[in-house]
Amino acid sequence: MAEPLRTSWTKLTSLFLAALVLTLALAACKPGDPARSTGAYPIDIFQEMHYNQTHKAQEPPRLTAPSDSIPVSGGYIPAGTKAEMKDVANPYASDADLLEHAALVYRQNCSMCHGLTSAGDGPVGAKIVSYGGTQPPAFSSGRVQALTAGEAYASISNGLYIGASLFYMPPFQGLLSEHDRWALAALATADEATRAAALAAVNAQDEPTRTLRLLQLRGLID
């Protein structure tokens, strides 16, 4: 009689230990852990290539960049605050090409909140209002028109909250080039007629035309 009891106890102990090990393994491989998981599954049996080790055994250490170095390609230099950028002039001439460039970037990145005509009536803006938030500001509003070019550039680069409302503009300095952001600053601070004409011309184009023209203005294609 004692032997069957001992066997049952051994089986229960084994099952408990197996369950404990499995629980610990799953906890160690939680989604999003960059050392073990891509985040797509609770546990990755076959890891994706970009999670493989890149520093191989016995490989010489890689030199890091000097602490005071700045990137010359790729990346970005963080923009200053609105106060720091207040008196900084737009380094690009506010000509027809820059305003067209700005209108194309605006259509692609800003119109969903600020609206196709910059009236603050985009579909995302309307949803914010429906939840009790503040409508995104129109570019013709006193709030935007009071900005200098440098302040507009800082706001676009760093993002901002509008008071305590639900409206939040994300920082675009990691998404758009300095040229793109200065172009948007020129559009934001332009007079109403100039801005309306630039946006109307872009809104009248189809998507392939807008895409190709923006690539040209960015200097990526001829």
Side-chain angles (χ1 to χ4, degrees), residues 53-102:
Q53 181 185 10
T54 56
H55 195 94
K56 305 303 180 183
Q58 299 186 8
E59 183 179 354
R62 301 173 188 177
L63 297 177
T64 57
S67 58
D68 57 348
S69 63
I70 59 174
V72 295
S73 64
Y76 61 89
I77 300 174
T81 64
K82 284 177 64 176
E84 293 168 341
M85 299 288 293
K86 181 177 181 179
D87 298 323
V88 178
N90 195 325
Y92 298 94
S94 187
D95 56 15
D97 279 351
L98 187 69
L99 290 171
E100 183 185 11
H101 184 157

Side-chain angles (χ1 to χ4, degrees), residues 61-210:
R62 301 173 188 177
L63 297 177
T64 57
S67 58
D68 57 348
S69 63
I70 59 174
V72 295
S73 64
Y76 61 89
I77 300 174
T81 64
K82 284 177 64 176
E84 293 168 341
M85 299 288 293
K86 181 177 181 179
D87 298 323
V88 178
N90 195 325
Y92 298 94
S94 187
D95 56 15
D97 279 351
L98 187 69
L99 290 171
E100 183 185 11
H101 184 157
L104 289 164
V105 174
Y106 175 92
R107 169 77 187 227
Q108 191 176 74
N109 296 274
C110 313
S111 61
M112 65 288 299
C113 286
H114 293 279
L116 291 176
T117 63
S118 76
D121 56 354
V124 175
K127 181 64 70 175
I128 291 171
V129 172
S130 72
Y131 281 107
T134 301
Q135 184 174 354
F139 278 23
S140 60
S141 66
R143 178 188 183 92
V144 176
Q145 289 302 299
L147 297 173
T148 66
E151 288 175 326
Y153 177 84
S155 295
I156 294 163
S157 299
N158 299 322
L160 76 161
Y161 283 100
I162 301 298
S165 76
L166 297 176
F167 177 72
Y168 168 64
M169 186 174 75
F172 280 95
Q173 62 184 350
L175 303 172
L176 298 175
S177 69
E178 288 187 24
H179 192 181
D180 287 347
R181 286 176 278 142
W182 277 117
L184 287 174
L187 185 72
T189 55
D191 63 79
E192 181 63 22
T194 301
R195 182 170 54 255
L199 291 173
V202 164
N203 290 335
Q205 299 171 355
D206 58 29
E207 187 61 34
T209 301
R210 288 195 295 266

